């Protein structure tokens, strides 16, 4: 009887611990994390960017705006995504996979040369003016930021397509440019989505 009682008591203690930990880690903790994720302006909802009542993308994803309004020249373009020599490949999570090619890859060098030629032609600038981030993908594959240099070579095209003075577009770029994080991390950058939102980007399917 004593052994049976001890086994029963241990079983009850084990069940109580199981129930308590289930409530604590399976219910209470997830609810606390969920609540924290909803606090503040950057709540965990994908950080959508809304322009004129329409969601035009995420603040964290640099999807290109090639089909917006059916007039891709009106907007700033993001970095190259995906693999291959197509500098204008559609920006999507599926296309953001890395090429897995290193700096000694002849194929990657050929892709970069082709991308540089195409972007220089699109922006009507010498190939030497095309910055590295214009022809290479980011670590995530869908970085929302570009360098101020890449934004600068796009300013003339964007100004012409929108019927605005190029100085106005350059001022817009300067207003949205950010320096290094904490003054020493990363590089100066411009969020493409912010620039295009300031230009009034609205997808063609947004009523």
């Amino acid at each position: 009887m004593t052994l049976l009682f001890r086994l029963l008591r241990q079983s009850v203690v084990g069940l109580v611990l199981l129930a308590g930990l289930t409530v604590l880690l399976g219910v209470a903790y997830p609810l606390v994390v969920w609540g924290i994720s909803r606090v503040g302006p950057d709540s965990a909802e994908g950080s959508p960017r809304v322009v004129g009542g329409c969601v035009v993308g995420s603040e964290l994803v640099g999807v290109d705006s090639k089909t917006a309004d059916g007039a891709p020249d009106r907007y700033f373009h993001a970095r190259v995504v995906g693999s291959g020599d197509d500098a204008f490949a559609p920006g999507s999570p599926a296309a953001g996979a890395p090429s897995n090619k290193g700096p000694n890859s002849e194929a990657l060098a050929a892709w970069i040369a082709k991308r540089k030629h195409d972007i220089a032609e699109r922006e009507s600038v010498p190939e030497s003016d095309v910055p590295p981030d214009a022809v290479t993908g980011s670590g995530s594959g869908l970085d929302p930021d570009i360098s101020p240099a890449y934004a600068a070579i796009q300013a003339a095209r964007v100004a012409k397509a929108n019927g605005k003075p190029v100085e106005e577009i350059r001022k817009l770029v300067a207003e949205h440019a950010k320096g290094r994080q904490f003054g020493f991390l990363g590089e100066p950058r411009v969020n493409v989505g912010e620039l295009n939102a300031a230009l009034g980007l609205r997808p063609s399917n947004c009523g």
Side-chain angles (χ1 to χ4, degrees), residues 51-179:
V51 177
C54 294
V55 176
V56 298
S58 168
E59 296 179 3
L60 307 177
V61 179
V63 177
D64 217 336
S65 307
K66 298 179 183 65
T67 59
D69 296 346
D73 282 346
R74 290 184 57 202
Y75 303 106
F76 287 89
H77 293 292
R79 296 181 65 169
V80 171
V81 297
S83 304
D85 61 4
D86 185 3
F88 314 129
S92 72
S99 68
N100 200 30
K101 295 188 181 298
N104 295 325
S105 169
E106 294 183 1
L108 180 60
W111 293 350
I112 290 175
K114 176 65 163 53
R115 295 167 183 171
K116 181 175 289 189
H117 169 79
D118 291 345
I119 291 176
E121 188 175 71
R122 183 188 70 192
E123 307 301 344
S124 301
V125 298
E127 290 187 20
S128 58
D129 287 353
V130 178
D133 67 297
V135 295
T136 56
S138 66
S140 68
L142 294 169
D143 196 321
D145 300 319
I146 59 175
S147 66
Y150 189 22
I153 68 170
Q154 299 187 60
R157 168 182 53 78
V158 171
K160 181 178 179 181
N162 285 278
K164 297 178 180 293
V166 68
E167 292 78 13
E168 180 178 334
I169 301 301
R170 288 172 178 160
K171 180 181 179 182
L172 189 70
V173 171
E175 289 173 349
H176 288 82
K178 298 180 178 65

Side-chain angles (χ1 to χ4, degrees), residues 5 10 18 48 53 62-63 78 85 87 109 153 155 161 166 171 179 189-190 199:
F5 177 76
Q10 290 175 358
L18 176 62
V63 177
D85 61 4
I153 68 170
V166 68
K171 180 181 179 182
R189 64 203 185 279
V190 186
L199 286 167

